[in-house]
Amino acid sequence: MEPLRRFLAIPDLGDARVVLVRDVVEQARAVPGGRRWQLTATPQQIEAIGFVPRLEALTSTARAWHRFLREYGPPIRPAR
């Protein structure tokens, strides 16, 4: 959740992914007894969420990106 929150805190983002990520974050629920979050997302929202750990991997650590890839596969489709 922290990378998602940092992404949403960037001022003046005009990307459509911002709206998709914001909707998921606003509806996220903490799982009792742990440091986990329950997210409900459409395939388009998962693709947008995957963009966030990928950006983080480019600037600092790739740990969240690798975990995302293991659990969901590549969310970013090649351009046609």
Side-chain angles (χ1 to χ4, degrees):
M1 286 297 288
E2 191 56 34
L4 296 176
R5 288 184 181 134
R6 283 195 308 266
F7 175 70
L8 293 175
I10 297 171
D12 301 325
L13 287 177
D15 196 303
R17 287 176 281 218
V18 174
V19 174
L20 295 171
V21 171
R22 184 178 297 120
D23 290 345
V24 172
V25 170
E26 287 175 354
Q27 296 173 14
R29 301 288 178 247
V31 175
R35 295 184 326 175
R36 293 182 163 254
W37 291 85
Q38 180 179 3
L39 305 175
T40 304
T42 66
Q44 293 82 15
Q45 289 169 320
I46 291 172
E47 185 174 328
I49 289 170
F51 180 72
V52 176
R54 178 65 181 138
L55 283 177
E56 184 178 42
L58 293 172
T59 60
S60 62
T61 178
R63 187 177 10 193
W65 176 241
H66 292 157
R67 183 174 181 179
F68 189 92
L69 289 176
R70 280 195 308 273
E71 295 196 18
Y72 300 102
I76 301 170
R77 297 180 182 93
R80 294 182 185 197

